[in-house]
Amino acid sequence: MYLIGNGRLLTRDPELPYIENGGVVTDGELIVEIGETDALAEKYPEAEFIDASHGVIMPGLINAHTHCCRALAKGLNIPYYNPTEFYEILNGVWWRIDRNLTLHMDRMSAYATIIDSIKNGVTTLFDHHASNFQPCGSLMTIASVVRSCGIRACLCYETSDREGKEKCDEAISENLEFFEYANSLNSNYIKASFGLHASFTLSNRTLQKCVSKNNGRMGFHIHVSEGVYDLCDSIQKYGVRPIRRLNDMGILGSKTLLVHCTNVNDGEIELIKSTDSMVINNPQSNMLNAVGCAPIRQMHRNGITLGLGTDAVTSDMLESLKASLAIQRHDTKLPNAGFDEATSMLFDGNRRIASRFFNTELGILKAGAAADIIVMDYIPYTPFSEVNADEHIMFGMSGKQCILNMIGGKLLMRDRKLLFVDEESMNKEICKAASELWNKLK
């Protein structure tokens, strides 16, 4: 039993959103009680006290879309390669990396991403994996790292026709076999979805096969209308826009994650809403790939469940939060736009998305919810309360200010020191794997 106290307690619970000198009592995997620190200390004298030192105690952050397999590419420089549009980036960089990833590289990539995520206050992530050199067993490899580190993760494998029928069939099998494994665990730490790359790399025949093989067991996790290439391909080949095509093929639904949706129109937004599908915004990735700004404000007004991801650009969800605000204001040319939408995606949308997969309450601090708790080393220079806490987070905090990360009642980081791994030794192993990948790419 722990009592994390003496901090500014930000709960995300509308019934009790903030306690100035608050604390959280945990027992096992769940929160027992929240309240004033002194009162909790008196009530639970047996609890081990962890002093938040007037920092901000808040729910662990959720990353609704990332790619662990991109971790070894940080800093990669491909000589004489200068892509001028999005398809060239995919084909010349990311798909090229996918073709060279071994299971060992998958393992090291997962460690690199998860370690960095935990250090940045992330407690749950949704991963979209591809490693076409060795697809079979890749999700189990990542899952072994998830278990070793103690984070929560929903995993899938990226099905695509781009590498031929054999690799496509292996991807389908990888999704199905991993679902059976995750389902057998009945765990609130490892979940599965069915991964699809994007409309323009999936034929109707393959989509039909995926839907048939899945048989309604999982939601799909797919990139949609990220760039105009996806849009044009769908219209030219199938006579409809991507969202309509995916709906006609049986892909949309309440457990389906539609990633990006940068180029969607009014009709597609209505279709997303009517099918209760979820949309994940990745603002930094959209800007870096020059694919545009998703119509977040319109989707928000239409009541679509919107979440925030990083697309592997970073593991810091607060970086992504800031980028979401900036791109919306730049796109609309309105200096007062986007704040509610950005904060809602991270602190409300991601929580609601996670609730569709995990059978425990995440992203909130209250009795009975998961003991996924972080402490941020943030001392405000101006008043701090539930009224302006999001302004402090948006303009004052960064993920690197996380000093404590607890997931399921287990301390994974305390005083910025990781407790589940020798970080220095692991970094050496990760660097070796990255060097091996870079040499293969040469």
Side-chain angles (χ1 to χ4, degrees):
M1 178 176 280
Y2 292 100
L3 166 54
I4 304 173
N6 192 26
R8 295 173 172 85
L9 183 66
L10 188 61
T11 69
R12 299 295 167 186
D13 181 0
E15 294 188 8
L16 184 60
Y18 180 71
I19 302 175
E20 178 65 24
N21 185 1
V24 187
V25 177
T26 71
D27 191 9
E29 297 186 0
L30 301 177
I31 294 170
V32 175
E33 190 173 348
I34 66 169
E36 296 282 348
T37 298
D38 291 344
L40 293 175
E42 183 176 351
K43 186 174 180 179
Y44 300 96
E46 72 278 20
E48 179 181 341
F49 182 71
I50 298 175
D51 191 350
S53 301
H54 307 293
V56 179
I57 306 169
M58 55 193 278
L61 301 171
I62 299 166
N63 186 343
H65 178 75
T66 191
H67 300 277
C68 288
C69 56
R70 302 291 184 246
L72 303 185
K74 301 294 184 185
L76 178 65
N77 185 312
I78 301 176
Y80 310 111
Y81 186 70
N82 184 31
T84 58
E85 49 91 23
F86 183 50
Y87 182 84
E88 291 181 5
I89 297 172
L90 290 175
N91 192 46
V93 180
W94 302 123
W95 296 350
R96 186 176 171 191
I97 289 172
D98 295 343
R99 298 181 191 112
N100 287 280
L101 289 173
T102 65
L103 291 180
H104 177 65
M105 292 176 189
D106 289 341
R107 182 183 300 277
M108 293 300 104
S109 294
Y111 268 116
T113 298
I114 293 171
I115 286 172
D116 199 34
S117 295
I118 290 170
K119 291 171 68 175
N120 279 282
V122 173
T123 52
T124 302
L125 56 82
F126 287 73
D127 187 56
H128 196 274
H129 180 63
S131 54
N132 287 307
F133 184 74
Q134 287 184 294
C136 300
S138 59
L139 293 183
M140 288 290 288
T141 298
I142 296 171
S144 70
V145 179
V146 170
R147 291 196 306 272
S148 173
C149 296
I151 202 169
R152 301 184 198 271
C154 181
L155 309 178
C156 69
Y157 189 92
E158 181 183 284
T159 306
S160 174
D161 287 315
R162 67 178 183 265
E163 302 293 338
K165 184 178 183 301
E166 181 180 348
K167 292 297 183 183
C168 181
D169 288 344
E170 287 179 353
I172 293 172
S173 296
E174 184 69 5
N175 279 304
L176 296 173
E177 290 172 11
F178 185 74
F179 169 79
E180 294 297 337
Y181 166 74
N183 196 48
S184 70
L185 289 179
N186 193 28
S187 164
N188 270 315
Y189 293 86
I190 296 177
K191 297 294 182 181
S193 58
F194 198 120
L196 303 171
H197 174 244
S199 173
F200 74 93
T201 68
L202 291 158
S203 66
N204 277 354
R205 181 177 179 180
T206 295
L207 287 176
Q208 288 170 347
K209 187 172 185 177
C210 290
V211 171
S212 176
K213 292 284 187 180
N214 182 29
N215 195 26
R217 290 176 291 179
M218 294 176 277
F220 293 94
H221 188 162
I222 179 171
H223 305 99
V224 182
S225 296
E226 182 174 1
V228 293
Y229 192 95
D230 198 23
L231 173 62
C232 294
D233 178 86
S234 184
I235 292 173
Q236 289 171 5
K237 289 181 180 177
Y238 308 103
V240 292
R241 296 173 70 95
I243 294 292
R244 171 60 65 184
R245 178 182 176 228
L246 294 176
N247 183 63
D248 292 346
M249 299 303 298
I251 301 299
L252 303 192
S254 62
K255 279 199 171 183
T256 288
L257 297 167
L258 304 174
V259 184
H260 297 296
C261 293
T262 311
N263 299 275
V264 293
N265 66 8
D266 293 349
E268 289 177 295
I269 290 173
E270 290 178 7
L271 193 52
I272 293 169
K273 172 60 179 176
S274 68
T275 58
D276 197 23
S277 302
M278 300 166 284
V279 172
I280 311 302
N281 183 225
N282 299 271
Q284 288 169 297
S285 171
N286 294 158
M287 287 189 284
L288 289 169
N289 290 323
V291 295
C293 176
I296 293 302
R297 299 172 75 225
Q298 185 178 351
M299 288 190 278
H300 185 264
R301 286 195 302 270
N302 278 266
I304 290 172
T305 299
L306 283 166
L308 192 65
T310 62
D311 207 22
V313 174
T314 179
S315 295
D316 184 347
M317 292 306 302
L318 302 188
E319 277 189 24
S320 193
L321 176 70
K322 293 170 173 61
S324 178
L325 177 65
I327 190 173
Q328 289 180 71
R329 289 187 175 179
H330 177 78
D331 184 62
T332 61
K333 297 180 176 60
L334 295 172
N336 63 346
F339 188 90
D340 290 343
E341 291 84 354
T343 54
S344 175
M345 282 192 292
L346 179 56
F347 299 122
D348 180 51
N350 282 6
R351 178 174 62 83
R352 289 191 285 136
I353 288 165
S355 73
R356 299 192 186 187
F357 295 86
F358 295 89
N359 301 319
T360 187
E361 284 194 274
L362 306 177
I364 190 170
L365 301 184
K366 69 176 185 178
D372 291 9
I373 306 163
I374 61 175
V375 176
M376 306 298 285
D377 181 19
Y378 177 75
I379 306 300
Y381 298 137
T382 57
F384 184 106
S385 71
E386 70 273 18
V387 175
N388 67 345
D390 286 347
E391 280 80 0
H392 277 282
I393 292 171
M394 178 73 78
F395 301 111
M397 279 191 196
S398 71
K400 295 302 182 187
Q401 287 173 294
C402 183
I403 58 174
L404 179 143
N405 191 323
M406 170 185 280
I407 303 178
K410 182 179 179 181
L411 284 170
L412 302 185
M413 182 174 73
R414 187 170 184 177
D415 297 327
R416 290 194 171 91
K417 179 177 175 57
L418 297 178
L419 305 178
F420 61 90
V421 69
D422 182 333
E423 187 176 4
E424 184 177 354
S425 297
M426 181 56 68
N427 282 340
K428 290 179 181 178
E429 293 300 312
I430 293 169
C431 288
K432 287 180 183 178
S435 179
E436 181 184 347
L437 173 63
W438 285 36
N439 287 333
K440 290 180 69 174
L441 294 175
K442 289 178 182 178

